[in-house]
Amino acid sequence: MAHMAQNQASRKKGKKVTIENFYGGSTQGKEENEEEIQKNSEHASQNGNYQQALEDLKLELIQKMETWKEKWEKEISCLTDKNAQLEKELEASNRRADKAEKQNQSLMTRIKHLEESEMIKQQESIKQTQIINELEENIKYLTEKVTDLENRGRRENLRIIGLPEKPEVNNKLDMILQEIIKENCPHVLEQGGKIEIERIHRTPSILNPQKTTPRNVIAKFKSFQVKEKILQEAKKKSFRYKGAPIRITHDLAANTLRDRKAWNTIFRKARELGLQPRINYPAKLTIYFQGKVWAFNKIEDFQAFAKKRPELCGKFDIQAQKARET
């Protein structure tokens, strides 16, 4: 009993069972020792299997870790290369961005210069337009002044239209004019039965063989009063030379004649309507309408006047009349 108690105490304390301990006790103690030895052997065998399994697991883990390591190294290398490539691309992109920014700044500078230049050009254009308008006004004023001076220089002249174009006529125009005056208004003749004529000639000076109508004759009188008397008589009746009709009118500047000619269509229509039209100097139209005399310097003024009068509205449409005549 004492040996068994000692062995149990030894197992409880975890002490190793020895031969001496095993044989030193009783039979029961020996059996217990044998059981203890068998259990220890099983435990040792199991521990050996566990150890082998752990070693195998450890080797497998080591192999997997090496594989993962290689894979990670490759991934890290690839990521490093990609990062380097991205850094290069980013650097190139930054360079392009810097270049684009410089180009943008250059373009903005050029645009600003162009805008300033355009503004300067617009201001210069406005100034030039003002200068041109002033010049046009001056030219118009000077043209009117020259035309007026030219008309004043012709105030003693008369224009004879329709005088036959013959050599015997052209060689003695002054004598023929005296005959015309004697035939149509003899009371205008001065003492001696003649009118003082400063000069007389055909215009233009060169005959155009393609024209069938005779050239006009320009006569300059020494007396303005005599010229006016002849002109007033020519307005009252038709003049003739040896039975052939001729016309005697003012001798005016080309610009004034053009402005007077512009009234022709309106003048004929006004005469048809009984408005007693007249063309006064230099190119003013007068009509007698509703007991009053109306004067117009421009065709536009007359058209505006006619549109406001029901009796005249639509009767002086120049374009329509020209179309009908065509």
Side-chain angles (χ1 to χ4, degrees):
M1 294 293 292
H3 285 293
M4 289 176 64
Q6 184 178 358
N7 290 335
Q8 290 177 357
S10 298
R11 285 196 297 269
K12 290 179 180 180
K13 293 181 180 180
K15 291 183 179 180
K16 188 177 180 180
V17 178
T18 61
I19 296 174
E20 291 82 3
N21 293 333
F22 181 77
Y23 289 104
S26 62
T27 302
Q28 186 178 357
K30 290 180 180 180
E31 292 176 355
E32 290 177 357
N33 287 333
E34 289 177 357
E35 292 176 359
E36 184 70 24
I37 290 170
Q38 187 177 359
K39 289 180 179 181
N40 289 333
S41 297
E42 292 176 357
H43 284 300
S45 177
Q46 291 177 357
N47 288 335
N49 292 334
Y50 293 154
Q51 188 68 29
Q52 183 64 36
L54 288 173
E55 289 295 332
D56 293 340
L57 182 60
K58 182 177 180 181
L59 289 173
E60 185 180 356
L61 289 174
I62 291 171
Q63 291 176 355
K64 287 185 178 181
M65 289 178 66
E66 289 178 354
T67 304
W68 292 342
K69 182 179 179 182
E70 292 177 0
K71 185 177 180 181
W72 291 342
E73 287 178 351
K74 289 180 181 179
E75 291 289 340
I76 291 170
S77 177
C78 183
L79 290 173
T80 302
D81 294 340
K82 287 184 178 180
N83 187 41
Q85 183 67 26
L86 288 173
E87 288 180 353
K88 290 181 181 178
E89 292 178 358
L90 180 60
E91 185 177 355
S93 178
N94 289 335
R95 287 196 299 268
R96 289 195 298 269
D98 293 339
K99 185 178 179 180
E101 181 65 23
K102 290 179 181 179
Q103 291 177 348
N104 185 43
Q105 290 179 357
S106 176
L107 288 173
M108 292 298 294
T109 303
R110 290 177 61 186
I111 290 171
K112 184 177 180 181
H113 289 165
L114 289 172
E115 288 177 348
E116 292 176 353
S117 177
E118 184 66 21
M119 187 177 296
I120 292 172
K121 288 181 180 179
Q122 288 179 356
Q123 293 175 353
E124 291 178 354
S125 177
I126 293 172
K127 291 180 181 178
Q128 291 295 329
T129 302
Q130 293 174 349
I131 292 172
I132 290 171
N133 291 336
E134 291 176 0
L135 289 174
E136 288 177 349
E137 289 294 329
N138 290 337
I139 290 171
K140 182 180 178 182
Y141 171 76
L142 291 174
T143 301
E144 292 175 353
K145 199 74 174 175
V146 169
T147 301
D148 182 64
L149 289 173
E150 186 177 354
N151 286 327
R152 291 179 183 277
R154 298 178 183 222
R155 63 194 304 266
E156 291 87 9
N157 296 0
L158 284 178
R159 183 178 291 263
I160 305 168
I161 304 170
L163 197 64
E165 187 84 46
K166 297 179 181 180
E168 59 271 21
V169 174
N170 294 339
N171 293 333
K172 49 180 182 179
L173 289 173
D174 53 345
M175 296 176 60
I176 290 173
L177 179 58
Q178 297 286 352
E179 294 177 5
I180 291 172
I181 295 171
K182 287 180 182 179
E183 182 179 349
N184 294 278
C185 51
H187 60 281
V188 176
L189 294 173
E190 298 175 350
Q191 293 180 354
K194 286 188 177 181
I195 297 292
E196 290 189 74
I197 301 171
E198 187 172 322
R199 64 178 180 271
I200 184 170
H201 60 85
R202 290 275 188 182
T203 183
S205 58
I206 299 175
L207 176 63
N208 185 354
Q210 295 180 352
K211 288 189 174 182
T212 58
T213 56
R215 292 173 293 170
N216 295 345
V217 175
I218 304 297
K220 182 176 178 62
F221 296 83
K222 286 188 176 181
S223 171
F224 172 75
Q225 289 77 11
V226 172
K227 169 253 179 181
E228 280 295 310
K229 289 179 181 179
I230 297 172
L231 186 62
Q232 294 300 323
E233 291 296 324
K235 289 180 180 180
K236 294 177 183 178
K237 65 179 183 177
S238 296
F239 274 34
R240 292 180 174 272
Y241 171 65
K242 293 183 179 181
I246 59 173
R247 289 175 54 207
I248 295 180
T249 64
H250 286 286
D251 178 35
L252 300 170
N255 290 339
T256 305
L257 290 174
R258 185 191 65 235
D259 294 341
R260 286 188 165 210
K261 188 177 180 180
W263 288 106
N264 284 352
T265 304
I266 293 175
F267 185 90
R268 289 195 297 268
K269 189 64 179 177
R271 188 165 54 190
E272 291 176 6
L273 297 174
L275 300 178
Q276 303 176 20
R278 285 178 175 271
I279 302 295
N280 295 334
Y281 179 84
K284 182 187 295 184
L285 174 71
T286 62
I287 61 172
Y288 186 79
F289 179 70
Q290 294 181 347
K292 294 182 180 180
V293 177
W294 303 83
F296 307 94
N297 291 316
K298 296 180 180 179
I299 294 176
E300 295 80 4
D301 296 340
F302 175 81
Q303 288 178 332
F305 171 84
K307 286 180 180 179
K308 295 178 181 179
R309 272 71 184 176
E311 301 89 340
L312 305 178
C313 184
K315 296 181 180 179
F316 290 92
D317 189 346
I318 295 177
Q319 294 181 351
Q321 291 183 21
K322 287 184 177 179
R324 286 194 295 269
E325 290 174 2
T326 303

